Amino acid sequence: MSTSRSPKRSGTQTAMMPIQRGSEDGHCTWIPNGPQIETVLVLGYVDAPGHPFYSRDIGRFFSLDGRIYIMYGDTFCNNAGISSNTYQVVPDRAKPKDAYYLSGDANGYVHPLINLDDEEVRFLNLPDNEGKRIAFWCFGGVVEITDGVGWTWYQKHIISQDGDSVLAGVGIARIAHDKNTYSGELSSARMPGLMFGPDEPLFGSFSALVDGNMVYLWGQISNDIFLARVPKECCQQRHRYQYWNGREYVSDIHHATPILQDLQQGQFFRSNLFGPDLPWQFVGVTKWADSMVMLGSASRIEGPWDVRPLFKAQGIKQPNAYQYCMYAHPWFAEQSNDKLLVSWCDPWPGGVIMAEVRFKTKNAAYAAVQKAMEVCRASNLQYTELYNPHRLQLTGIDQKTVDRALEMVRHQMGLADKEGTSQARQSQMQRIRDRGASFSERVVNFFRR
């Protein structure tokens, strides 16, 4: 499937902002007009309560059929051996670090999600390959295409007994959830060959997501990050992939140009963290081995991206070691603009650490409207009553800020006011007003807090 030509690293392209480096003491610079960090609450290792602790890395979340899973790389099953790609299910979204394996044996070995084929088994059984192993690492997680079915782009590595690794390239596998089982156990089916060679950007194995009818995939050569896309029904067809050249998507991978540089691992995703003007976010780590969790934003998926330090991660079992594999878990607070769940890897004998980051909301108008919306819901009032700039201007907030806040509310609420008002709701609204607590007074009171 793969070709051997490498893409360009120069030429006309989207302007790239420099990646900001953090200071030695962990202090952060911050994205202009973005939220400010308030607290970082370390929740601890992702672990299965009541089960033995296994050291592992990656910790990349994905979702299939509404279930939340976490994908790992090398998993050290204590005395049972190493499994190169494992996964756990998170049964309770309110307890994100409680995750459970679904497939293993009596000795404690966890079965990999992606297995060796017959040819690879024969390769490892050759006398010259004694002590070698083949590992499949899925840094990009799984992209769901239809309910319960998705694709993963995995890196294939051949690892010698002394730990040296040779990258073979990137393959693709179909991942499916068996809807007939309550547990959520997954199955995989690898496509023949490799999708991308070792000298090409490892598309999909860095990060991948679905937006509309397209799957967007990020890959890297060294620490340069490239972007590609493919129709979601054509993920296994190499000739359908297109590559961003700085101005447009083209069919020749040789013309791809980097959209970011100096990054080691990370994840691109969409969220409300920066409001509707900056819907695209990035969480990751740089090549500088400084354990900084990086946060980026962009108005378009192609960039330009502004990526800056968020905070310095620290290990639990290895507090002075380099922390890596920084990822976001936006499912934990999908509609929130004030918190984000992130994870990172504490090297062996550590594991994947979860932390909840809480932000200060800089946009006072937005925060006030959110509070007013809560009153609106509790009182069964129409969302249209929020869209009166005159009432909001009583607080002294300028018209532009008010309009921006209201637009953010419209995006979040999906214009729910189109539903209309029933006679019963009108009667209830009148009873509330008769109690002397008008909605406009409530809005103003929330702004004054």
PDB file of all heavy atoms in Angstrom, residues 365 368-369 385-386 388-399 401-403 406 438-449:
ATOM      1  N   ALA A 365     -19.208  38.020  30.596  1.00  0.00           N
ATOM      2  CA  ALA A 365     -20.548  37.992  30.016  1.00  0.00           C
ATOM      3  C   ALA A 365     -20.988  36.550  29.766  1.00  0.00           C
ATOM      4  O   ALA A 365     -22.122  36.179  30.043  1.00  0.00           O
ATOM      5  CB  ALA A 365     -20.569  38.782  28.709  1.00  0.00           C
ATOM      6  N   ALA A 368     -21.875  34.880  33.053  1.00  0.00           N
ATOM      7  CA  ALA A 368     -23.153  35.346  33.579  1.00  0.00           C
ATOM      8  C   ALA A 368     -24.329  34.764  32.802  1.00  0.00           C
ATOM      9  O   ALA A 368     -25.343  34.373  33.386  1.00  0.00           O
ATOM     10  CB  ALA A 368     -23.197  36.873  33.535  1.00  0.00           C
ATOM     11  N   VAL A 369     -24.190  34.703  31.485  1.00  0.00           N
ATOM     12  CA  VAL A 369     -25.270  34.144  30.683  1.00  0.00           C
ATOM     13  C   VAL A 369     -25.448  32.664  30.991  1.00  0.00           C
ATOM     14  O   VAL A 369     -26.575  32.160  31.058  1.00  0.00           O
ATOM     15  CB  VAL A 369     -24.999  34.360  29.176  1.00  0.00           C
ATOM     16  CG1 VAL A 369     -25.990  33.580  28.328  1.00  0.00           C
ATOM     17  CG2 VAL A 369     -25.099  35.843  28.844  1.00  0.00           C
ATOM     18  N   GLU A 385     -35.589  34.750  26.087  1.00  0.00           N
ATOM     19  CA  GLU A 385     -35.525  35.861  27.024  1.00  0.00           C
ATOM     20  C   GLU A 385     -34.096  36.217  27.396  1.00  0.00           C
ATOM     21  O   GLU A 385     -33.851  37.240  28.036  1.00  0.00           O
ATOM     22  CB  GLU A 385     -36.346  35.512  28.273  1.00  0.00           C
ATOM     23  CG  GLU A 385     -37.824  35.292  27.958  1.00  0.00           C
ATOM     24  CD  GLU A 385     -38.690  35.420  29.201  1.00  0.00           C
ATOM     25  OE1 GLU A 385     -38.397  36.289  30.031  1.00  0.00           O
ATOM     26  OE2 GLU A 385     -39.639  34.652  29.318  1.00  0.00           O
ATOM     27  N   LEU A 386     -33.159  35.352  27.022  1.00  0.00           N
ATOM     28  CA  LEU A 386     -31.753  35.682  27.238  1.00  0.00           C
ATOM     29  C   LEU A 386     -31.234  36.633  26.163  1.00  0.00           C
ATOM     30  O   LEU A 386     -30.200  37.261  26.337  1.00  0.00           O
ATOM     31  CB  LEU A 386     -30.900  34.417  27.205  1.00  0.00           C
ATOM     32  CG  LEU A 386     -31.008  33.479  28.412  1.00  0.00           C
ATOM     33  CD1 LEU A 386     -30.260  32.194  28.105  1.00  0.00           C
ATOM     34  CD2 LEU A 386     -30.450  34.123  29.651  1.00  0.00           C
ATOM     35  N   ASN A 388     -31.816  39.497  24.910  1.00  0.00           N
ATOM     36  CA  ASN A 388     -32.195  40.902  24.963  1.00  0.00           C
ATOM     37  C   ASN A 388     -30.983  41.712  25.409  1.00  0.00           C
ATOM     38  O   ASN A 388     -30.725  41.865  26.598  1.00  0.00           O
ATOM     39  CB  ASN A 388     -33.363  41.098  25.942  1.00  0.00           C
ATOM     40  CG  ASN A 388     -33.918  42.525  25.870  1.00  0.00           C
ATOM     41  OD1 ASN A 388     -33.196  43.457  25.549  1.00  0.00           O
ATOM     42  ND2 ASN A 388     -35.191  42.664  26.168  1.00  0.00           N
ATOM     43  N   PRO A 389     -30.198  42.224  24.469  1.00  0.00           N
ATOM     44  CA  PRO A 389     -28.972  42.934  24.831  1.00  0.00           C
ATOM     45  C   PRO A 389     -29.206  44.105  25.773  1.00  0.00           C
ATOM     46  O   PRO A 389     -28.338  44.431  26.582  1.00  0.00           O
ATOM     47  CB  PRO A 389     -28.411  43.397  23.475  1.00  0.00           C
ATOM     48  CG  PRO A 389     -28.992  42.447  22.490  1.00  0.00           C
ATOM     49  CD  PRO A 389     -30.361  42.115  23.016  1.00  0.00           C
ATOM     50  N   HIS A 390     -30.380  44.760  25.701  1.00  0.00           N
ATOM     51  CA  HIS A 390     -30.643  45.902  26.566  1.00  0.00           C
ATOM     52  C   HIS A 390     -30.565  45.493  28.038  1.00  0.00           C
ATOM     53  O   HIS A 390     -29.983  46.196  28.864  1.00  0.00           O
ATOM     54  CB  HIS A 390     -32.016  46.500  26.267  1.00  0.00           C
ATOM     55  CG  HIS A 390     -32.406  47.589  27.235  1.00  0.00           C
ATOM     56  ND1 HIS A 390     -31.756  48.809  27.251  1.00  0.00           N
ATOM     57  CD2 HIS A 390     -33.350  47.617  28.209  1.00  0.00           C
ATOM     58  CE1 HIS A 390     -32.298  49.556  28.209  1.00  0.00           C
ATOM     59  NE2 HIS A 390     -33.269  48.849  28.797  1.00  0.00           N
ATOM     60  N   ARG A 391     -31.137  44.333  28.349  1.00  0.00           N
ATOM     61  CA  ARG A 391     -31.095  43.862  29.732  1.00  0.00           C
ATOM     62  C   ARG A 391     -29.659  43.589  30.170  1.00  0.00           C
ATOM     63  O   ARG A 391     -29.261  43.901  31.288  1.00  0.00           O
ATOM     64  CB  ARG A 391     -31.923  42.585  29.868  1.00  0.00           C
ATOM     65  CG  ARG A 391     -33.415  42.822  29.724  1.00  0.00           C
ATOM     66  CD  ARG A 391     -34.168  41.507  29.745  1.00  0.00           C
ATOM     67  NE  ARG A 391     -35.609  41.709  29.617  1.00  0.00           N
ATOM     68  CZ  ARG A 391     -36.483  40.741  29.442  1.00  0.00           C
ATOM     69  NH1 ARG A 391     -36.055  39.494  29.363  1.00  0.00           N
ATOM     70  NH2 ARG A 391     -37.763  40.990  29.344  1.00  0.00           N
ATOM     71  N   LEU A 392     -28.871  42.989  29.278  1.00  0.00           N
ATOM     72  CA  LEU A 392     -27.508  42.661  29.638  1.00  0.00           C
ATOM     73  C   LEU A 392     -26.637  43.906  29.750  1.00  0.00           C
ATOM     74  O   LEU A 392     -25.712  43.961  30.555  1.00  0.00           O
ATOM     75  CB  LEU A 392     -26.918  41.700  28.602  1.00  0.00           C
ATOM     76  CG  LEU A 392     -27.716  40.412  28.391  1.00  0.00           C
ATOM     77  CD1 LEU A 392     -26.978  39.495  27.417  1.00  0.00           C
ATOM     78  CD2 LEU A 392     -27.971  39.693  29.696  1.00  0.00           C
ATOM     79  N   GLN A 393     -26.974  44.953  28.977  1.00  0.00           N
ATOM     80  CA  GLN A 393     -26.189  46.173  29.024  1.00  0.00           C
ATOM     81  C   GLN A 393     -26.382  46.942  30.334  1.00  0.00           C
ATOM     82  O   GLN A 393     -25.607  47.829  30.651  1.00  0.00           O
ATOM     83  CB  GLN A 393     -26.551  47.077  27.839  1.00  0.00           C
ATOM     84  CG  GLN A 393     -25.872  46.645  26.544  1.00  0.00           C
ATOM     85  CD  GLN A 393     -26.213  47.601  25.409  1.00  0.00           C
ATOM     86  OE1 GLN A 393     -27.371  47.889  25.169  1.00  0.00           O
ATOM     87  NE2 GLN A 393     -25.198  48.093  24.729  1.00  0.00           N
ATOM     88  N   LEU A 394     -27.398  46.577  31.103  1.00  0.00           N
ATOM     89  CA  LEU A 394     -27.586  47.224  32.398  1.00  0.00           C
ATOM     90  C   LEU A 394     -26.395  47.000  33.317  1.00  0.00           C
ATOM     91  O   LEU A 394     -26.205  47.716  34.287  1.00  0.00           O
ATOM     92  CB  LEU A 394     -28.860  46.687  33.067  1.00  0.00           C
ATOM     93  CG  LEU A 394     -30.172  47.003  32.351  1.00  0.00           C
ATOM     94  CD1 LEU A 394     -31.331  46.332  33.075  1.00  0.00           C
ATOM     95  CD2 LEU A 394     -30.404  48.498  32.272  1.00  0.00           C
ATOM     96  N   THR A 395     -25.598  45.993  32.997  1.00  0.00           N
ATOM     97  CA  THR A 395     -24.421  45.685  33.816  1.00  0.00           C
ATOM     98  C   THR A 395     -23.216  46.539  33.446  1.00  0.00           C
ATOM     99  O   THR A 395     -22.196  46.481  34.106  1.00  0.00           O
ATOM    100  CB  THR A 395     -24.027  44.224  33.629  1.00  0.00           C
ATOM    101  OG1 THR A 395     -23.640  44.043  32.274  1.00  0.00           O
ATOM    102  CG2 THR A 395     -25.179  43.308  33.970  1.00  0.00           C
ATOM    103  N   GLY A 396     -23.299  47.277  32.332  1.00  0.00           N
ATOM    104  CA  GLY A 396     -22.171  48.084  31.895  1.00  0.00           C
ATOM    105  C   GLY A 396     -21.224  47.359  30.968  1.00  0.00           C
ATOM    106  O   GLY A 396     -20.188  47.904  30.594  1.00  0.00           O
ATOM    107  N   ILE A 397     -21.555  46.132  30.578  1.00  0.00           N
ATOM    108  CA  ILE A 397     -20.715  45.383  29.645  1.00  0.00           C
ATOM    109  C   ILE A 397     -20.974  45.896  28.237  1.00  0.00           C
ATOM    110  O   ILE A 397     -22.112  46.141  27.850  1.00  0.00           O
ATOM    111  CB  ILE A 397     -21.016  43.877  29.738  1.00  0.00           C
ATOM    112  CG1 ILE A 397     -20.689  43.382  31.149  1.00  0.00           C
ATOM    113  CG2 ILE A 397     -20.228  43.093  28.705  1.00  0.00           C
ATOM    114  CD1 ILE A 397     -21.051  41.942  31.383  1.00  0.00           C
ATOM    115  N   ASP A 398     -19.913  46.073  27.457  1.00  0.00           N
ATOM    116  CA  ASP A 398     -20.065  46.676  26.139  1.00  0.00           C
ATOM    117  C   ASP A 398     -20.843  45.766  25.199  1.00  0.00           C
ATOM    118  O   ASP A 398     -20.923  44.543  25.393  1.00  0.00           O
ATOM    119  CB  ASP A 398     -18.683  47.002  25.543  1.00  0.00           C
ATOM    120  CG  ASP A 398     -17.883  45.746  25.269  1.00  0.00           C
ATOM    121  OD1 ASP A 398     -17.217  45.270  26.210  1.00  0.00           O
ATOM    122  OD2 ASP A 398     -17.941  45.237  24.143  1.00  0.00           O
ATOM    123  N   GLN A 399     -21.436  46.392  24.158  1.00  0.00           N
ATOM    124  CA  GLN A 399     -22.314  45.684  23.233  1.00  0.00           C
ATOM    125  C   GLN A 399     -21.601  44.525  22.529  1.00  0.00           C
ATOM    126  O   GLN A 399     -22.162  43.447  22.347  1.00  0.00           O
ATOM    127  CB  GLN A 399     -22.853  46.671  22.187  1.00  0.00           C
ATOM    128  CG  GLN A 399     -23.805  46.037  21.173  1.00  0.00           C
ATOM    129  CD  GLN A 399     -25.106  45.586  21.813  1.00  0.00           C
ATOM    130  OE1 GLN A 399     -25.711  46.353  22.528  1.00  0.00           O
ATOM    131  NE2 GLN A 399     -25.501  44.353  21.568  1.00  0.00           N
ATOM    132  N   THR A 401     -19.101  42.635  23.550  1.00  0.00           N
ATOM    133  CA  THR A 401     -18.940  41.506  24.456  1.00  0.00           C
ATOM    134  C   THR A 401     -20.255  40.783  24.663  1.00  0.00           C
ATOM    135  O   THR A 401     -20.315  39.552  24.700  1.00  0.00           O
ATOM    136  CB  THR A 401     -18.381  41.975  25.806  1.00  0.00           C
ATOM    137  OG1 THR A 401     -17.140  42.641  25.595  1.00  0.00           O
ATOM    138  CG2 THR A 401     -18.158  40.796  26.745  1.00  0.00           C
ATOM    139  N   VAL A 402     -21.339  41.559  24.789  1.00  0.00           N
ATOM    140  CA  VAL A 402     -22.658  40.970  24.970  1.00  0.00           C
ATOM    141  C   VAL A 402     -23.017  40.113  23.750  1.00  0.00           C
ATOM    142  O   VAL A 402     -23.464  38.965  23.880  1.00  0.00           O
ATOM    143  CB  VAL A 402     -23.728  42.062  25.197  1.00  0.00           C
ATOM    144  CG1 VAL A 402     -25.122  41.469  25.090  1.00  0.00           C
ATOM    145  CG2 VAL A 402     -23.530  42.711  26.546  1.00  0.00           C
ATOM    146  N   ASP A 403     -22.836  40.671  22.554  1.00  0.00           N
ATOM    147  CA  ASP A 403     -23.170  39.946  21.335  1.00  0.00           C
ATOM    148  C   ASP A 403     -22.355  38.650  21.232  1.00  0.00           C
ATOM    149  O   ASP A 403     -22.872  37.606  20.822  1.00  0.00           O
ATOM    150  CB  ASP A 403     -22.918  40.819  20.105  1.00  0.00           C
ATOM    151  CG  ASP A 403     -23.900  41.979  20.016  1.00  0.00           C
ATOM    152  OD1 ASP A 403     -24.944  41.911  20.697  1.00  0.00           O
ATOM    153  OD2 ASP A 403     -23.621  42.947  19.289  1.00  0.00           O
ATOM    154  N   LEU A 406     -23.758  36.072  23.701  1.00  0.00           N
ATOM    155  CA  LEU A 406     -25.035  35.522  23.259  1.00  0.00           C
ATOM    156  C   LEU A 406     -24.836  34.547  22.103  1.00  0.00           C
ATOM    157  O   LEU A 406     -25.531  33.537  22.006  1.00  0.00           O
ATOM    158  CB  LEU A 406     -25.973  36.659  22.850  1.00  0.00           C
ATOM    159  CG  LEU A 406     -26.419  37.566  23.995  1.00  0.00           C
ATOM    160  CD1 LEU A 406     -27.298  38.685  23.470  1.00  0.00           C
ATOM    161  CD2 LEU A 406     -27.161  36.785  25.058  1.00  0.00           C
ATOM    162  N   SER A 438     -38.952  38.839  38.521  1.00  0.00           N
ATOM    163  CA  SER A 438     -38.951  38.825  37.058  1.00  0.00           C
ATOM    164  C   SER A 438     -37.621  38.288  36.529  1.00  0.00           C
ATOM    165  O   SER A 438     -36.588  38.348  37.188  1.00  0.00           O
ATOM    166  CB  SER A 438     -39.184  40.228  36.504  1.00  0.00           C
ATOM    167  OG  SER A 438     -38.051  41.028  36.712  1.00  0.00           O
ATOM    168  N   PHE A 439     -37.696  37.770  35.320  1.00  0.00           N
ATOM    169  CA  PHE A 439     -36.493  37.185  34.720  1.00  0.00           C
ATOM    170  C   PHE A 439     -35.410  38.235  34.489  1.00  0.00           C
ATOM    171  O   PHE A 439     -34.229  37.985  34.699  1.00  0.00           O
ATOM    172  CB  PHE A 439     -36.854  36.503  33.404  1.00  0.00           C
ATOM    173  CG  PHE A 439     -35.685  35.831  32.752  1.00  0.00           C
ATOM    174  CD1 PHE A 439     -35.184  34.647  33.270  1.00  0.00           C
ATOM    175  CD2 PHE A 439     -35.062  36.378  31.652  1.00  0.00           C
ATOM    176  CE1 PHE A 439     -34.099  34.033  32.689  1.00  0.00           C
ATOM    177  CE2 PHE A 439     -33.980  35.765  31.067  1.00  0.00           C
ATOM    178  CZ  PHE A 439     -33.498  34.581  31.588  1.00  0.00           C
ATOM    179  N   SER A 440     -35.800  39.429  34.077  1.00  0.00           N
ATOM    180  CA  SER A 440     -34.794  40.466  33.818  1.00  0.00           C
ATOM    181  C   SER A 440     -34.044  40.814  35.089  1.00  0.00           C
ATOM    182  O   SER A 440     -32.833  41.050  35.070  1.00  0.00           O
ATOM    183  CB  SER A 440     -35.467  41.714  33.242  1.00  0.00           C
ATOM    184  OG  SER A 440     -36.433  42.216  34.141  1.00  0.00           O
ATOM    185  N   GLU A 441     -34.752  40.845  36.235  1.00  0.00           N
ATOM    186  CA  GLU A 441     -34.084  41.134  37.493  1.00  0.00           C
ATOM    187  C   GLU A 441     -33.084  40.025  37.831  1.00  0.00           C
ATOM    188  O   GLU A 441     -31.998  40.291  38.345  1.00  0.00           O
ATOM    189  CB  GLU A 441     -35.114  41.276  38.614  1.00  0.00           C
ATOM    190  CG  GLU A 441     -35.980  42.528  38.493  1.00  0.00           C
ATOM    191  CD  GLU A 441     -37.110  42.534  39.499  1.00  0.00           C
ATOM    192  OE1 GLU A 441     -37.434  41.452  40.038  1.00  0.00           O
ATOM    193  OE2 GLU A 441     -37.662  43.599  39.737  1.00  0.00           O
ATOM    194  N   ARG A 442     -33.441  38.792  37.512  1.00  0.00           N
ATOM    195  CA  ARG A 442     -32.536  37.692  37.797  1.00  0.00           C
ATOM    196  C   ARG A 442     -31.260  37.792  36.961  1.00  0.00           C
ATOM    197  O   ARG A 442     -30.160  37.550  37.445  1.00  0.00           O
ATOM    198  CB  ARG A 442     -33.231  36.348  37.516  1.00  0.00           C
ATOM    199  CG  ARG A 442     -34.402  36.072  38.445  1.00  0.00           C
ATOM    200  CD  ARG A 442     -34.928  34.681  38.214  1.00  0.00           C
ATOM    201  NE  ARG A 442     -36.100  34.422  39.036  1.00  0.00           N
ATOM    202  CZ  ARG A 442     -36.525  33.210  39.357  1.00  0.00           C
ATOM    203  NH1 ARG A 442     -35.873  32.160  38.906  1.00  0.00           N
ATOM    204  NH2 ARG A 442     -37.593  33.041  40.094  1.00  0.00           N
ATOM    205  N   VAL A 443     -31.421  38.122  35.687  1.00  0.00           N
ATOM    206  CA  VAL A 443     -30.251  38.274  34.832  1.00  0.00           C
ATOM    207  C   VAL A 443     -29.306  39.325  35.374  1.00  0.00           C
ATOM    208  O   VAL A 443     -28.108  39.131  35.495  1.00  0.00           O
ATOM    209  CB  VAL A 443     -30.675  38.603  33.390  1.00  0.00           C
ATOM    210  CG1 VAL A 443     -29.469  38.941  32.532  1.00  0.00           C
ATOM    211  CG2 VAL A 443     -31.438  37.450  32.785  1.00  0.00           C
ATOM    212  N   VAL A 444     -29.874  40.493  35.736  1.00  0.00           N
ATOM    213  CA  VAL A 444     -29.053  41.580  36.244  1.00  0.00           C
ATOM    214  C   VAL A 444     -28.372  41.170  37.551  1.00  0.00           C
ATOM    215  O   VAL A 444     -27.183  41.434  37.765  1.00  0.00           O
ATOM    216  CB  VAL A 444     -29.893  42.871  36.459  1.00  0.00           C
ATOM    217  CG1 VAL A 444     -29.078  43.917  37.169  1.00  0.00           C
ATOM    218  CG2 VAL A 444     -30.374  43.380  35.111  1.00  0.00           C
ATOM    219  N   ASN A 445     -29.060  40.463  38.406  1.00  0.00           N
ATOM    220  CA  ASN A 445     -28.485  40.044  39.673  1.00  0.00           C
ATOM    221  C   ASN A 445     -27.316  39.084  39.452  1.00  0.00           C
ATOM    222  O   ASN A 445     -26.289  39.155  40.135  1.00  0.00           O
ATOM    223  CB  ASN A 445     -29.553  39.362  40.553  1.00  0.00           C
ATOM    224  CG  ASN A 445     -30.519  40.369  41.140  1.00  0.00           C
ATOM    225  OD1 ASN A 445     -30.203  41.557  41.256  1.00  0.00           O
ATOM    226  ND2 ASN A 445     -31.719  39.906  41.490  1.00  0.00           N
ATOM    227  N   PHE A 446     -27.461  38.188  38.458  1.00  0.00           N
ATOM    228  CA  PHE A 446     -26.355  37.284  38.185  1.00  0.00           C
ATOM    229  C   PHE A 446     -25.153  38.019  37.638  1.00  0.00           C
ATOM    230  O   PHE A 446     -24.009  37.678  37.950  1.00  0.00           O
ATOM    231  CB  PHE A 446     -26.799  36.201  37.188  1.00  0.00           C
ATOM    232  CG  PHE A 446     -27.440  35.019  37.848  1.00  0.00           C
ATOM    233  CD1 PHE A 446     -28.786  34.771  37.677  1.00  0.00           C
ATOM    234  CD2 PHE A 446     -26.708  34.189  38.665  1.00  0.00           C
ATOM    235  CE1 PHE A 446     -29.390  33.687  38.298  1.00  0.00           C
ATOM    236  CE2 PHE A 446     -27.293  33.103  39.273  1.00  0.00           C
ATOM    237  CZ  PHE A 446     -28.633  32.855  39.101  1.00  0.00           C
ATOM    238  N   PHE A 447     -25.386  39.051  36.831  1.00  0.00           N
ATOM    239  CA  PHE A 447     -24.252  39.824  36.327  1.00  0.00           C
ATOM    240  C   PHE A 447     -23.535  40.586  37.427  1.00  0.00           C
ATOM    241  O   PHE A 447     -22.346  40.847  37.344  1.00  0.00           O
ATOM    242  CB  PHE A 447     -24.737  40.821  35.271  1.00  0.00           C
ATOM    243  CG  PHE A 447     -24.728  40.260  33.883  1.00  0.00           C
ATOM    244  CD1 PHE A 447     -25.905  39.916  33.254  1.00  0.00           C
ATOM    245  CD2 PHE A 447     -23.540  40.084  33.210  1.00  0.00           C
ATOM    246  CE1 PHE A 447     -25.908  39.396  31.990  1.00  0.00           C
ATOM    247  CE2 PHE A 447     -23.524  39.565  31.939  1.00  0.00           C
ATOM    248  CZ  PHE A 447     -24.717  39.224  31.315  1.00  0.00           C
ATOM    249  N   ARG A 448     -24.251  40.973  38.471  1.00  0.00           N
ATOM    250  CA  ARG A 448     -23.658  41.784  39.533  1.00  0.00           C
ATOM    251  C   ARG A 448     -22.881  40.947  40.538  1.00  0.00           C
ATOM    252  O   ARG A 448     -22.205  41.489  41.380  1.00  0.00           O
ATOM    253  CB  ARG A 448     -24.772  42.555  40.234  1.00  0.00           C
ATOM    254  CG  ARG A 448     -25.300  43.703  39.375  1.00  0.00           C
ATOM    255  CD  ARG A 448     -26.494  44.373  40.024  1.00  0.00           C
ATOM    256  NE  ARG A 448     -26.928  45.540  39.240  1.00  0.00           N
ATOM    257  CZ  ARG A 448     -28.061  46.191  39.445  1.00  0.00           C
ATOM    258  NH1 ARG A 448     -28.892  45.776  40.406  1.00  0.00           N
ATOM    259  NH2 ARG A 448     -28.369  47.214  38.695  1.00  0.00           N
ATOM    260  N   ARG A 449     -23.013  39.636  40.482  1.00  0.00           N
ATOM    261  CA  ARG A 449     -22.296  38.789  41.446  1.00  0.00           C
ATOM    262  C   ARG A 449     -20.799  38.780  41.179  1.00  0.00           C
ATOM    263  O   ARG A 449     -20.374  38.823  40.049  1.00  0.00           O
ATOM    264  CB  ARG A 449     -22.839  37.345  41.383  1.00  0.00           C
ATOM    265  CG  ARG A 449     -24.251  37.247  41.921  1.00  0.00           C
ATOM    266  CD  ARG A 449     -24.721  35.806  41.938  1.00  0.00           C
ATOM    267  NE  ARG A 449     -26.084  35.711  42.421  1.00  0.00           N
ATOM    268  CZ  ARG A 449     -26.744  34.588  42.595  1.00  0.00           C
ATOM    269  NH1 ARG A 449     -26.161  33.433  42.308  1.00  0.00           N
ATOM    270  NH2 ARG A 449     -27.979  34.582  43.031  1.00  0.00           N
TER     271      ARG A 449
END
